[in-house]
């Protein structure tokens, strides 16, 4: 994206809107306000975005694309996946 607003919009379009409880890691109040105003949107299934991709790869991708840093897979766990 061109800036953080564009990046957050793109992320939300693909992964869905973050619930309020998951905004605790966002340090910028401006970014939080923006994210709260985004329309609710269901995530686009990774199987739709990446057809013919092995299930194991989609599972790893889902875990790596988790936007909340404390919920995202660790490097060690990703390598062991």
């Amino acid at each position: 994206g061109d800036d953080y607003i564009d990046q957050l919009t793109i992320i939300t379009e693909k992964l869905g809107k973050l619930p309020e409880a998951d905004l605790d890691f966002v340090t910028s109040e401006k970014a939080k306000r923006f994210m709260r105003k985004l329309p609710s949107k269901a995530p686009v299934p990774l199987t739709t975005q990446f057809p013919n991709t092995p299930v194991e790869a989609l599972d790893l991708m889902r875990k790596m694309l988790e936007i909340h840093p404390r919920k995202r897979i660790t490097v060690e766990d990703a390598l062991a996946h």
Side-chain angles (χ1 to χ4, degrees):
D2 297 327
D3 55 32
Y4 80 91
I5 299 288
D6 189 39
Q7 290 173 0
L8 291 172
T9 302
I10 292 168
I11 290 167
T12 301
E13 286 174 357
K14 298 295 183 182
L15 302 180
K17 182 178 178 178
L18 279 177
E20 179 69 28
D22 282 351
L23 294 178
D24 64 323
F25 75 95
V26 180
T27 57
S28 166
E29 284 304 317
K30 186 176 179 181
K32 279 185 186 181
R33 279 194 305 274
F34 173 78
M35 292 175 80
R36 287 180 181 123
K37 290 179 183 177
L38 289 170
S40 291
K41 191 166 188 172
V44 178
L46 291 176
T47 53
T48 301
Q49 296 182 61
F50 305 97
N52 305 316
T53 302
V55 174
E56 300 84 15
L58 291 173
D59 182 59
L60 178 59
M61 191 180 312
R62 181 186 56 77
K63 292 173 180 176
M64 291 171 60
L65 289 172
E66 174 62 55
I67 194 167
H68 197 295
R70 288 188 294 276
K71 294 181 178 182
R72 193 176 309 131
I73 192 169
T74 64
V75 171
E76 293 82 11
D77 288 344
L79 289 172
H81 192 280

